[in-house]
Amino acid sequence: MDTENAFAELGLAPDATEREVKAAVGCIKVLRGKVTDICATCAGAGHQVLGGNCARCGGSGAIPKRSFFGWPAGVTECEACLGGGIARQPCVACRGVGKMAPRGYKMNVRIPHGVRDGDLLHVDGQRVRAGGPPADIEIRVEVSEHAFFKLDDDGTIRCEMPVDGFAWIANREVKVPTVTGFQALQLSRDRLSYRLKGQGFPVQRRGTRGDQLVTLAPIFPEQLSADQQILLDQLLATSSGAGGEALDERLRTWNRDLRAWERSL
């Protein structure tokens, strides 16, 4: 088999929803290609040796050249024997090219979880069913970047996602994308970063998965509507007691110290 056709590149990112995901959890990919077999009749030579002297050059391997006026002008290599002087004929099986016509193949390749960009996978040709290539295949994996995830060398997957600012304040639950699907995440207004155990990328091929780090970016309206402003005023009023004093001890202490500092000026 032509060695140039024994190497294949396998991309794992046919669309934006699959980038890095299949590399993390593994998959089965259909690999298609073409192989060019060396002609078995002539062993790739493109001709068959008949033996004896070449009839065209008489065994010399050269043909005299003639000038425009018919005068001798040196010699040139005999095309019939390629300068060898031995009688030969083009191979009928391959039509003199030494290779057979390319033929297509199709095979299923199991991609283990945890492959990285540039990894080489070896496929034993003897284990491939009929219709596959008659030789071993070396596959170079190409992993494209994902639209949502960033991969660290230690297997950590990072995901930065915007979230409704009011939902964050209200400690609501949101859906977070992971390589295996969505996962529910309970928000806490005092946190912007969350760690999802075991939702990252395998540290080693076929190994255990790392963690996923989710960083939130609370999004608030650039301009409040009239209804939102009224609701915020009502919410603000609930944080003050009689006489407008703050209900939270931290705020009361700060305001008290601030007034004392003002009097000392």
Side-chain angles (χ1 to χ4, degrees):
M1 186 177 76
D2 189 347
T3 56
E4 292 181 357
N5 292 281
F7 184 85
E9 291 188 353
L10 185 63
L12 296 183
D15 55 63
T17 62
E18 296 179 339
R19 298 176 182 177
E20 286 187 4
V21 174
K22 289 187 174 181
V25 300
C27 64
I28 295 179
K29 296 287 290 184
V30 178
L31 182 63
R32 296 179 176 86
K34 291 184 178 180
V35 293
T36 303
D37 295 320
I38 294 175
C39 178
T41 303
C42 65
H47 61 267
Q48 293 176 299
V49 178
L50 300 178
N53 292 334
C54 174
R56 183 170 182 181
C57 65
S60 66
I63 300 295
K65 295 174 61 177
R66 298 289 180 179
S67 67
F68 179 79
F69 298 102
W71 299 333
V75 295
T76 183
E77 183 182 89
C78 177
E79 297 180 356
C81 64
L82 300 180
I86 301 176
R88 64 179 66 186
Q89 68 178 10
C91 177
V92 178
C94 65
R95 298 182 180 181
V97 298
K99 299 178 182 180
M100 305 305 292
R103 58 184 179 85
Y105 68 85
K106 176 182 177 181
M107 59 187 295
N108 293 331
V109 179
R110 181 177 295 277
I111 307 300
H113 64 274
V115 292
R116 298 280 186 138
D117 189 73
D119 281 358
L120 286 177
L121 302 180
H122 179 81
V123 180
D124 189 348
Q126 296 181 353
R127 298 184 179 182
V128 177
R129 66 183 183 180
D136 296 348
I137 295 291
E138 296 291 335
I139 300 175
R140 184 182 299 279
V141 178
E142 294 182 354
V143 182
S144 299
E145 292 186 0
H146 196 275
F148 306 143
F149 306 131
K150 298 297 182 182
L151 177 61
D152 292 345
D153 292 338
D154 62 355
T156 300
I157 288 181
R158 299 180 180 273
C159 177
E160 296 184 3
M161 59 175 291
V163 64
D164 187 282
F166 296 131
W168 173 65
I169 293 176
N171 292 341
R172 292 294 188 262
E173 184 178 273
V174 296
K175 293 194 303 182
V176 176
T178 71
V179 294
T180 55
F182 287 105
Q183 178 170 317
L185 178 65
Q186 184 66 48
L187 299 183
S188 177
R189 69 179 65 93
D190 60 346
R191 294 180 58 188
L192 291 176
S193 296
Y194 301 81
R195 180 180 293 272
L196 306 181
K197 291 289 186 179
Q199 293 297 324
F201 202 91
V203 180
Q204 297 178 346
R205 190 188 299 177
R206 296 186 176 90
T208 57
R209 294 168 59 188
D211 299 337
Q212 177 175 333
L213 295 182
V214 180
T215 302
L216 302 182
I219 303 298
F220 293 94
E222 295 183 1
Q223 184 174 358
L224 297 177
S225 66
D227 291 339
Q228 288 173 329
Q229 187 63 59
I230 292 173
L231 292 174
L232 284 179
D233 290 339
Q234 293 175 351
L235 182 62
L236 181 62
T238 62
S239 63
S240 301
E245 190 71 17
L247 296 177
D248 189 276
E249 177 62 28
R250 293 168 297 180
L251 284 175
R252 289 201 303 271
T253 300
W254 168 258
N255 291 335
R256 184 170 56 250
D257 294 343
L258 194 62
R259 289 193 296 269
W261 174 78
E262 184 181 15
R263 288 194 297 271
S264 67
L265 295 179

